[in-house]
Amino acid sequence: MPDVGMAGTVPALKQVLASIVGEAHVHDDAATRRLHSGDIWSEAKEPVSLVVAPDNLDQLSRLMAALHEAGVAVAPRGAGMSYTSGYIPSVAGTVSLDMQRMNRVLDIRAEDMVVTVEAGCTWVDLNNALAPLGLRAPFWGPMSGLASTIGGGISQLNAMLGAGHYGTSSESVVAMSVVLADGRVLRTGARGADGETPFYRHFGPDLAGLFAGDCGVFGIKAHITLRLIQAPAAEDYASFAFDTGEDLMRAMAAMARAGIAAEMCAFDPGLTKVRMQRASMSGDVKALGAVVTRQKSLARGLWEAVKVAKAGRNFVDLESYPLHIIAEGRCAAAVAHDMATARQLAADHGGTEIENTIAKVIRAMPFPPLNSVLGPGGERWIPIHGQVSLSQAPALFTALEELFAELAPEFERFGVSTGYLFSSMSTNALILEPVLYWPDEKYPVHDVAMEPAHAARLPVQPANAEAKAFATATRKRVIAILQRFGCGHFQIGRAYPYKESRDPASWELLNAIKQVLDPKGAINPGCLGLDNRKG
């Protein structure tokens, strides 16, 4: 391990950090360092020197002050579900901040309709705390919410649960407490007379917005306050099949404009086949149990489970493009109206209604096990996404399909398969997410994410440098097409060309903010393309 800045050596720095968080929460063993040096996509050439886990805001503030004094780089990490090298160390001697001990729901203030959590709180834990009160955040999590943290979700931005009505994760944020590079604490929003009871986001310039989607480069999120809504009283589900991806895109755009779906989730034939391969009997049983529990009465739950079981897995034509939507509202009549609109719009664009099994299971099991981080044969997996305007979605899909058709011989040569996931963001964008699978070795983060029993069933793939190089080149070509259509991106990390998308005035402002908040350039250097280190 390298020497580390002004602290002199790694052992000396370890002692300093241990004096703040305790020896048990500073790690320098090879396995932990490697785990914190890789994400779903990549591993750093040189691992982090130390991993330190604060327990609260005070410890986090003191840690950052000590690391600032030592002059070392810092990489904040939540659950590690990044696939854009968002927390991968890029500087020798980097210290990884493991935020998972800061996992508490701190304050539910139903009278003010806000909840404050620590940044390491998972989406599933937040929802479990709110459900008995009949409350929910407007955006209430990605499908990786079993492990994904709220701090990571605000730093990277998320899609899925509630996004059809309320947009991405940051659009539900009221306020944040952020620890800066030197240990100072920056607090945003209107915060009440005591400064510690945030209730409204906007009070002058939107400081919270600076830290939303920043991939952690401006500061370390400690506390996050989200607004609340009453849990919807009614919900319903529908699924439709389309013959072409372009028809699917037009139907989803029409439904997004109408604002009728809390969630839309669609697949192409390739991803449908992968999902069918991955499905298991034990998973089916869990899904049926969840469907029963979701309903408001046992009789209704059992009836819904019978319908799901009867439908089985054969209701989807494996060559079609299935769309699954969930509508929710204050009363059954309003939801029924939205569902009628959805059926009409689907029919207008060539859709045929099919069994709504998957839509039901999405709501019954919103946070499934993270077994999809590898393919059904143990293959590596990488998604590449873009937010596209509603009008441009069909043309973008066509352009991506043309690329994949061109690459078909190489796909066969390297054993690469593809798929798509589609979803919506409020009333004005769709997400197109092509995914690649290729034979290659897994990383430690994959084993940590998956259920042990599932991981044990998967074949172990050997390292495959040629296939990885081809996947890397294909990923770059997909991103170039997304650029051509002017797409936006979540979890930019070090994968998407952010600087190139900004005008000179915007980039100058971003650099100035980075210089003020992190003058040594210590936090996630190089992420978003920002790197203000001297020398």
Side-chain angles (χ1 to χ4, degrees), residues 57 60-69 74 97 177-188 207 210-211 214 216-222 513-519 522-523:
L57 186 149
L60 176 59
S61 175
R62 291 162 60 200
L63 282 175
M64 291 303 292
L67 293 167
H68 182 74
E69 178 67 21
V74 179
L97 271 181
S177 296
V178 180
V179 177
L180 303 182
D182 61 3
R184 290 178 298 159
V185 180
L186 182 152
R187 296 174 173 85
T188 76
L207 294 181
L210 286 177
F211 300 95
D214 72 334
V217 301
F218 290 144
I220 312 300
K221 294 163 188 67
I513 293 169
K514 176 69 170 174
Q515 184 63 36
V516 169
L517 299 179
D518 181 17
I523 304 178

Side-chain angles (χ1 to χ4, degrees), residues 190-199:
R191 306 185 64 89
D194 62 358
E196 295 295 340
T197 50
F199 64 95

Side-chain angles (χ1 to χ4, degrees), residues 37 43-47 88-89:
S37 302
E43 283 193 318
K45 293 180 180 178
E46 182 172 335
I88 302 302

Side-chain angles (χ1 to χ4, degrees), residues 373-393:
V373 295
L374 291 178
E379 306 93 340
R380 289 285 299 281
W381 160 85
I382 186 67
I384 315 134
H385 76 275
Q387 289 91 257
V388 64
S389 64
L390 303 180
S391 62
Q392 290 296 303

Side-chain angles (χ1 to χ4, degrees), residues 97-172:
L97 271 181
D98 180 359
M99 296 298 294
Q100 292 185 97
R101 289 181 69 211
M102 292 182 61
N103 59 6
R104 303 170 187 86
V105 177
L106 294 174
D107 185 21
I108 301 173
R109 286 186 284 125
E111 66 277 17
D112 289 330
M113 293 298 280
V114 294
V115 58
T116 299
V117 301
E118 291 178 319
C121 179
T122 63
W123 291 97
V124 68
D125 284 347
L126 172 62
N127 280 281
N128 288 342
L130 294 174
L133 304 176
L135 299 173
R136 197 192 81 192
F139 177 91
W140 51 288
M143 295 190 77
S144 60
L146 191 65
S148 291
T149 65
I150 295 170
I154 305 305
S155 294
Q156 302 273 41
L157 304 181
N158 293 131
M160 196 51 196
L161 299 170
H165 284 164
Y166 301 105
T168 187
S169 47
S170 63
E171 295 177 72
S172 295

